[in-house]
Amino acid sequence: MANLNINSKKENSYDAIVIGSGMSGGWAAKELCEKGLKTLVLERGREVKHVQDYPTTNKMPWEFEHRGAIPEAIKKENPVVSRCYAFREDAQHFFVKDQEHPYVQEKPFDWIRGYQTGGKSLLWARQVQRWSDFDFEGPARDGFAVDWPIRYQDIAPWYSHVEKFIGVSGNKDGRDNLPDGEFLPPFELTAGELYFKDFLRKNYPEREIIVARCAHITGNKEFYAKQGRALCQNRTLCQRGCPFGGYFSSNSSTLPWAANTGNLSMQHHAVVHSIIYDEAKGKATGVRVIDANTGETTEYYAKVIFLNASALNSNLILLNSTSNRFPNGLGNDSGVLGKYVAFHNYRAGISGEYDGLKEYTTEGRRPTSGYFPRFRNVYKQETDFLRGYAAGFSASRSMITDYSGIGEELEQALTREEYGPWRVGSHMMGETIPKEESQVSLDPVKKDAWGIPQLKIAMDYDANDEAMIKDYLEQMTEMFEAAGFTNIRTRDDKRAPGLDIHEMGGARMGNDPETSVLNKWNQIHSCPNVYVTDGACMTSTSTQNPSLTYMAFAARAVDHAVKNMG
């Protein structure tokens, strides 16, 4: 029996284990495999192969039974995920259904998840703005959270490393609060967006509209052909999975690249129960996994472990990884594990019309929009709330379709070229402040289908968020009116936190082990062969979309891990 156990352990041993195959997990796997480490990737969901497992990618609208809509019966069964903008008939198979993976909402929170190869990298909005020192220095300057243990110069080369590989379309905008990167040719702003950009330049010189930077291939096609990827086709059907690999996903890019090294192993339907800590060795030695289909428990072993299960699931795994040394969760000497979680505030928006520019219209599609970099509290504290907000901005003009009449009258109506006014709109992307009471924990009673405690989530908006919403609506209304936009309508949809799908924190980075879980290399302070490089590691949220930063952290941490492996 002893020999059998020894053989089993040997068969299940690797140089590295990566938990999660999404945005950051795919990058960890790529970097580890490229550096020669035999790497096991554990994915709790099913296998989704690039191209062949995108069942709706080439379907026409009339080929969907409900023309893309979700039937009411499915909405009632899935009240949380059905609130997500991308949960439609063409992509619902990439989302976790509510009843299959329950969690406890101590306060309302819409937890949007995708359990399959690539995770939510199949579904993301593909926006990739760098952080600046205004963001990394924010907590220290403004007195919230704890000081980030890094600055922009520490991560800048890794931003470049990631951008060159994934393909990022964008402009060199020369903004110190939104650093430029390694860009492919940009998508164009529409005439309406250019009008507003010029208006701001003349009337609000500290504010600017740029074209949003996005992870889409728009050039250098010979390089991306080596990944098996082609130029973006502007289909804007990205949530179905892109058969061209025109946008970045783990499925089309990092995971196949890792597999081509011969060093990658993947285990699907692998629900991680906990990370195994060896008290005699003073380090983690492996991962305990439950087969999602059979319920069988297996242990896998490695010298180094990368935790990339997505922000809240990574917190769950750490909290559930208990031992005599860590009775309250792996690395939780500080007691802050699961606390100081934050998200992005997407509640507010504004729309309007513009009656000018009648000589222009918009045709075709693009996978991005205009982007309004943060302009509040950047160089000084100027409002009654901390931090600020970025915003999306779009302007388009389309043909009016008239379905009146029958026969010849209808035919004439449908072929009549008549355009309406420009329609303009913006949505808010606000930074929320990490607070101790914003936290996740393990429910003491409720378990999931595999006997793992359900995650209990307690997060909410606060007075800072409400003040920020008020300011966004006031500032945008003022600018819209001054620009000559009419029929202006503002909204606060009062959505629960979570639909931004940008939850961050809980295992935050910091200089002091007494107030943080991770050090500047994304290592657990008290268990340094475990690295956390997904959203759980974030000390604050900034206003920018966070995925590029996760990927850069993953690449940087792998470089550190390999250089320091004993």
Side-chain angles (χ1 to χ4, degrees), residues 187-205:
F187 290 95
E188 294 183 1
L189 293 173
T190 68
E193 291 159 359
L194 287 170
Y195 162 76
F196 194 46
K197 178 182 177 74
D198 187 57
F199 167 81
L200 291 173
R201 182 178 58 81
K202 295 175 181 176
N203 297 277
Y204 296 84

Side-chain angles (χ1 to χ4, degrees), residues 20-57:
S21 66
M23 201 79 65
S24 59
W27 260 94
K30 167 193 172 293
E31 297 290 303
L32 288 162
C33 289
E34 275 190 317
K35 294 179 187 299
L37 275 68
K38 296 296 183 182
T39 303
L40 172 66
V41 174
L42 298 170
E43 168 53 54
R44 70 175 295 156
R46 64 190 176 93
E47 183 176 17
V48 171
K49 292 182 179 178
H50 180 49
V51 184
Q52 70 185 66
D53 288 331
Y54 305 155
T56 63
T57 188

